[in-house]
């Protein structure tokens, strides 16, 4: 079993920044991918960014140049630095750990509003 815990959401004005953190614990394998997904009301959950244990990253087009995903393998932790936030970034953000199985965090609300 793997436990996934997120933190760092909140309310921010357009143009502002937030940093999300996610830590996986339990039965962690040496090869894994961790990622951030988001789900806005009435919309499907979408992948925002992901990173492998070797450091390869992937981003959805709408956040390229604004969001940065990074990882600390020693802590099994990933971060999502979100800059130049827009109202359309408002969503519940979920962390995902995927190796031989996948596990989800409980989600953290990000609201971008003036």
């Amino acid at each position: 079993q793997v436990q996934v815990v997120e933190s760092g959401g909140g309310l921010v004005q357009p143009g502002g920044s937030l940093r999300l953190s996610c830590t996986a614990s339990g039965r962690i394998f040496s090869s894994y991918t961790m990622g951030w997904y988001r789900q806005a009301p009435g919309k499907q959950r979408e992948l925002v960014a992901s990173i492998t244990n070797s450091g390869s990253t992937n981003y959805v087009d709408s956040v390229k140049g604004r969001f940065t995903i990074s990882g600390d393998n020693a802590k099994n932790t990933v971060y999502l630095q979100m800059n130049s936030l827009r109202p359309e970034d408002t969503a519940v953000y979920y962390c995902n750990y995927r190796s031989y199985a996948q596990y989800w965090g409980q989600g953290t609300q990000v609201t971008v509003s003036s």
Side-chain angles (χ1 to χ4, degrees), residues 51-71:
I51 186 168
T52 67
N53 60 285
S54 61
S56 296
T57 60
N58 182 50
Y59 297 90
V60 68
D61 286 346
S62 60
V63 308
K64 287 180 180 177
R66 300 189 298 124
F67 292 10
T68 302
I69 190 168
S70 60

Side-chain angles (χ1 to χ4, degrees), residues 8 12-20 38 48-49 59 61-70 79-90 93 110 112:
V12 64
Q13 293 187 341
S17 298
L18 281 175
R19 190 176 84 151
L20 306 182
R38 65 186 179 188
V48 177
Y59 297 90
D61 286 346
S62 60
V63 308
K64 287 180 180 177
R66 300 189 298 124
F67 292 10
T68 302
I69 190 168
S70 60
Y79 307 96
L80 186 67
Q81 178 67 42
M82 304 185 293
N83 299 328
S84 302
L85 282 161
R86 304 168 180 169
E88 54 264 38
D89 295 317
T90 296
Y93 284 69
V110 172
V112 185

Side-chain angles (χ1 to χ4, degrees), residues 21 82 92:
S21 299
M82 304 185 293
V92 179

Side-chain angles (χ1 to χ4, degrees), residues 3-80:
Q3 294 76 44
V4 178
V5 179
E6 308 112 331
S7 62
L11 172 65
V12 64
Q13 293 187 341
S17 298
L18 281 175
R19 190 176 84 151
L20 306 182
S21 299
C22 171
T23 298
S25 61
R27 193 178 181 188
I28 305 297
F29 291 93
S30 59
S31 177
Y32 60 82
T33 298
M34 292 184 72
W36 288 96
Y37 291 71
R38 65 186 179 188
Q39 188 166 19
K43 295 188 176 181
Q44 289 188 332
R45 190 174 296 189
E46 66 169 351
L47 174 65
V48 177
S50 64
I51 186 168
T52 67
N53 60 285
S54 61
S56 296
T57 60
N58 182 50
Y59 297 90
V60 68
D61 286 346
S62 60
V63 308
K64 287 180 180 177
R66 300 189 298 124
F67 292 10
T68 302
I69 190 168
S70 60
D72 184 335
N73 286 344
K75 298 180 179 179
N76 297 319
T77 297
V78 296
Y79 307 96
L80 186 67

